[in-house]
Amino acid sequence: MKQHVLIGLVSALTLSASAVAQTYQASDKAVQLAQDNLIIDTHIDVPYRLEKDWEDVTVATQRGDFDYPRAVVGGLNVPFMSIYIPANLERTEGASYQLAHKLIDSMEALAYRAPDKFDIAYSVADVEEQYERGVISIAMGMENGSPIEGDLANLQTFYERGIRYITLAHSESNHIADSSYDIRKQWNGLSPFGVELVEAMNNTGVMVDISHVSDEAFWQTLEVTKVPVIASHSSLRRYTPGFERNMSDDMIKALADNGGVIMINYGSAFVTQQANRYNAMIAKQAEAIREELGADSEEAQARIEKLRSSNPYPFATLEQVLDHIDHVVDLVGIDYVGIGSDYDGVGDSLPVGLKDVASYPNLIQGLLDRGYSDADIKKILNENLLRVWREVEAYAANN
């Protein structure tokens, strides 16, 4: 049973295609495109969310951005579940390694508990077979390479457990690479082991993810890799000047020359300058109030509360997310962009119109409204990422 046939199950879930169109303002065509095509989202933080606040995502949930019913409505076929490892765990020997295995265990358990709904995807062939069978493919990416712990044998271990991309670093520089967020830049890019790891990932069949790394680490990775790389959940620095976590135009051009793909992050702080600077602006003004009135005074607390209520968070919009996609296409073409939403990873900062995994038809409607063809949309939804994944698989098979 193909995944698009699952729309027939939606009535049992108290949802329907027409309800989606009404709720999310997507046309029947957009809903149908979502159901008739593979949708791959390369970054969804369900494992760490459930580690902190468990819910049964095989049924409708009260919290979070992902569950099975909403995924079916949205047409999501291949969520890359993020095996997210907090950067500070690298300071405790074995902690990153243990958490990574625990989070992978949780995804295997999810597939085991609901084999009619989920299965683990280890390859493009698995994705295609599972799509025909009508189950959602759980692919896995490791966000932060800390669990490798300087031992290439661990890379093989995690490959065998299903890890198909590794984000080299996260919010702090680690033993592999410098982070875009870390001012220390201890390696000025990749560490010597990081160079070895990129080469080994190529040979093993694990996609290299350059989201989160410093600019220097990005450029060095492109010099080392023999296959295309991905940015699993990044957006464009053009719209967030000075935010190194996003990619510059020159980096996107180089990524395209490499054959790689940038998967657009939905988080408002990644999408607009206003949202990107909001927290820092509020924190600066709140600190000034505390200094003036005393950190623990009731008057200070009241003033800060008023500050927050009169300056609500400036959520990005669907249109602004589409601007990022448009710019990549204008810059390098349709073949180098995809979806890396960061659902369950960016808190309550998701854009208006893209609040959970039921809303992919909204994105498709926006693309249709901007003149993208069905063939273009299919590339964004799945073909661009599948091309990279296949090239990585093929290179590893021959090395």
Side-chain angles (χ1 to χ4, degrees):
M1 179 177 62
K2 290 186 178 181
Q3 179 68 20
H4 69 260
V5 177
L6 285 172
I7 197 65
L9 300 176
V10 174
S11 60
L13 302 168
T14 70
L15 295 164
S16 68
S18 61
V20 176
Q22 292 171 5
T23 303
Y24 294 100
Q25 294 79 50
S27 66
D28 289 344
K29 178 175 181 179
V31 171
Q32 200 62 49
L33 282 171
Q35 296 299 322
D36 287 348
N37 291 286
L38 273 170
I39 296 179
I40 300 175
D41 187 325
T42 50
H43 202 83
I44 296 181
D45 276 291
V46 166
Y48 197 73
R49 163 194 160 196
L50 299 185
E51 168 72 7
K52 295 298 183 182
D53 182 20
W54 192 86
E55 290 184 297
D56 183 0
V57 295
T58 69
V59 297
T61 59
Q62 296 298 312
R63 300 181 294 280
D65 309 325
F66 173 96
D67 56 41
Y68 178 77
R70 283 181 285 173
V72 170
V73 169
L76 176 62
N77 310 96
V78 190
F80 269 79
M81 296 299 190
S82 172
I83 305 304
Y84 163 64
I85 308 299
N88 66 332
L89 291 186
E90 182 158 298
R91 295 193 282 275
T92 302
E93 184 177 357
S96 296
Y97 183 83
Q98 292 293 330
L99 179 58
H101 281 294
K102 185 177 182 181
L103 296 182
I104 294 169
D105 285 347
S106 74
M107 292 298 96
E108 291 178 341
L110 178 60
Y112 179 82
R113 287 190 296 108
D116 58 326
K117 297 177 180 179
F118 298 105
D119 203 352
I120 305 295
Y122 299 93
S123 64
V124 173
D126 284 348
V127 167
E128 293 170 339
E129 185 276 327
Q130 290 160 10
Y131 177 68
E132 292 295 325
R133 189 153 41 96
V135 297
I136 291 175
S137 297
I138 296 175
M140 288 182 284
M142 180 183 287
E143 186 179 20
N144 188 358
S146 288
I148 302 300
E149 294 191 334
D151 186 347
L152 294 180
N154 289 336
L155 171 65
Q156 184 64 35
T157 296
F158 285 117
Y159 174 81
E160 291 170 358
R161 295 217 62 192
I163 295 298
R164 290 300 177 267
Y165 76 70
I166 295 176
T167 315
L168 300 180
H170 192 253
S171 58
E172 297 177 7
S173 299
N174 61 14
H175 71 285
I176 297 165
D178 290 334
S179 166
S180 62
Y181 288 120
D182 196 331
I183 62 172
R184 292 175 298 169
K185 310 300 186 198
Q186 66 189 91
W187 304 112
N188 293 316
L190 298 177
S191 71
F193 177 75
V195 172
E196 291 183 43
L197 180 63
V198 170
E199 293 172 341
M201 288 170 68
N202 287 176
N203 293 332
T204 304
V206 178
M207 290 180 281
V208 178
D209 177 22
I210 53 76
S211 288
H212 279 287
V213 303
S214 68
D215 286 7
E216 293 83 359
F218 166 81
W219 291 110
Q220 290 174 25
T221 298
L222 289 193
E223 291 175 3
V224 174
T225 186
K226 298 297 189 292
V227 295
V229 304
I230 65 169
S232 71
H233 58 307
S234 294
S235 295
L236 310 189
R237 207 174 296 175
R238 175 184 179 88
Y239 300 101
T240 57
F243 186 43
E244 188 177 352
R245 171 66 178 81
N246 275 348
M247 296 185 70
S248 70
D249 284 5
D250 285 344
M251 294 167 77
I252 294 165
K253 290 176 183 176
L255 185 73
D257 288 342
N258 160 262
V261 183
I262 178 173
M263 315 298 284
I264 299 300
N265 190 316
Y266 289 178
S268 291
F270 293 81
V271 175
T272 71
Q273 184 177 30
Q274 187 179 14
N276 186 264
R277 296 181 176 178
Y278 174 82
N279 287 332
M281 180 271 292
I282 292 293
K284 184 177 181 179
Q285 294 188 36
E287 182 59 28
I289 290 170
R290 293 187 187 99
E291 289 181 2
E292 177 187 352
L293 301 174
D296 299 324
S297 73
E298 291 185 6
E299 185 179 359
Q301 296 305 314
R303 285 265 298 275
I304 292 170
E305 181 60 32
K306 183 178 180 180
L307 171 69
R308 294 185 182 279
S309 63
S310 59
N311 293 278
Y313 186 79
F315 291 101
T317 65
L318 167 61
E319 292 297 316
Q320 289 168 318
V321 172
L322 291 168
D323 289 343
H324 285 249
I325 295 174
D326 279 353
H327 186 65
V328 176
V329 173
D330 290 343
L331 195 65
V332 296
I334 192 64
D335 297 317
Y336 308 102
V337 65
I339 301 168
S341 64
D342 216 346
Y343 280 133
D344 279 322
V346 289
D348 296 327
S349 74
L350 290 159
V352 176
L354 294 172
K355 291 295 187 183
D356 62 22
V357 295
S359 62
Y360 297 103
N362 261 11
L363 184 76
I364 294 170
Q365 184 63 56
L367 293 168
L368 289 169
D369 291 344
R370 293 194 178 200
Y372 286 82
S373 69
D374 292 7
D376 290 339
I377 292 170
K378 189 173 182 178
K379 287 187 175 187
I380 294 169
L381 297 182
N382 68 77
E383 288 183 342
N384 293 338
L385 189 281
L386 288 177
R387 170 181 54 76
V388 172
W389 195 353
R390 285 191 182 100
E391 288 187 45
V392 170
E393 287 182 334
Y395 183 88
N398 292 311
N399 285 277

